[in-house]
Amino acid sequence: DITPVRGESYLNIYGRDVTEEHNARKALEAANDTSAAAEEQLQTIIDNSPATICLKDSKGRYELVNKRFAELHGTTANAVIGKTAHELFSKEIADPFVVHDRRVLRSGIAEEREQVVATTEGPRTFNEIKFPIATTGKKGGARCRVILVSPSNAASISARNSGRVIRRATSYSSL
């Protein structure tokens, strides 16, 4: 019991040790800074890739596209995010994308195929690689990542691989 004394001034101070909360907040801020830096680095890598890269959610909405994707389609990443293939492309172009996305998500297995896509540079044939990404604890389930490699890139990859085979064969023949 605290009983005030008549004629005396007094001050009650109630305090609570918040060291653990403070340290937890600082650790979270540091983790967020690290995560943001890693995300920025990854986005830089993706944006500087000559391949077109995008990430879609399980409903087919674009979550991420790189600069090359936006350039080929004459748009910006911000204009694409949240939209589906049917909102961006003609039915003839979008339908095969959607069918392929669904098949990959259902099977859980990566697939590779050629796809003709209308771009600002005219129709282009892409070597398209799609694979599912399981997302745990995230509403919406699996996502589908799509990497489209342009014909010139596919040709250079093929040529580079052919060179390796020739060099390997030459080194074996000299044994």
Side-chain angles (χ1 to χ4, degrees):
D1 240 353
I2 299 177
T3 308
V5 177
R6 187 170 248 166
E8 296 290 323
S9 297
Y10 64 93
L11 174 67
N12 284 334
I13 299 176
Y14 298 95
R16 177 171 69 87
D17 183 359
V18 294
T19 304
E20 287 182 28
E21 293 166 5
H22 174 77
N23 291 343
R25 187 172 42 253
K26 288 293 185 189
L28 183 59
E29 288 171 3
N32 286 340
D33 290 347
T34 301
S35 178
E39 193 171 311
E40 187 176 323
Q41 288 174 341
L42 181 58
Q43 187 65 49
T44 300
I45 292 166
I46 290 169
D47 279 340
N48 285 287
S49 172
T52 61
I53 301 172
C54 65
L55 177 67
K56 297 178 186 178
D57 67 14
S58 61
K59 303 236 187 282
R61 292 180 301 250
Y62 289 90
E63 293 183 332
L64 173 146
V65 298
N66 71 342
K67 284 181 184 177
R68 184 67 180 143
F69 181 100
E71 288 169 358
L72 279 175
H73 298 293
T75 188
T76 65
N78 288 338
V80 173
I81 304 303
K83 294 189 176 161
T84 65
H86 282 102
E87 293 173 299
L88 298 170
F89 307 108
S90 69
K91 182 174 174 34
E92 297 78 36
I93 298 292
D95 281 351
F97 280 144
V98 172
V99 168
H100 195 219
D101 290 350
R102 288 180 182 155
R103 186 172 61 237
V104 168
L105 287 174
R106 248 191 332 273
S107 72
I109 299 171
E111 288 189 15
E112 183 175 354
R113 71 182 184 139
E114 283 191 353
Q115 170 74 28
V116 177
V117 178
T119 72
T120 56
E121 300 170 3
R124 302 279 306 258
T125 301
F126 290 92
N127 181 28
E128 178 181 71
I129 303 165
K130 291 187 182 185
F131 53 91
I133 299 174
T135 53
T136 56
K138 185 172 182 179
K139 192 175 180 181
R143 299 183 298 178
C144 189
R145 182 175 297 263
V146 183
I147 301 176
L148 305 171
V149 182
S150 70
S152 59
N153 291 341
S156 70
I157 290 167
S158 178
R160 192 170 42 235
N161 288 340
S162 295
R164 282 190 202 126
V165 171
I166 291 168
R167 281 192 300 277
R168 200 173 304 133
T170 304
S171 67
Y172 288 137
S173 66
S174 63
L175 294 176

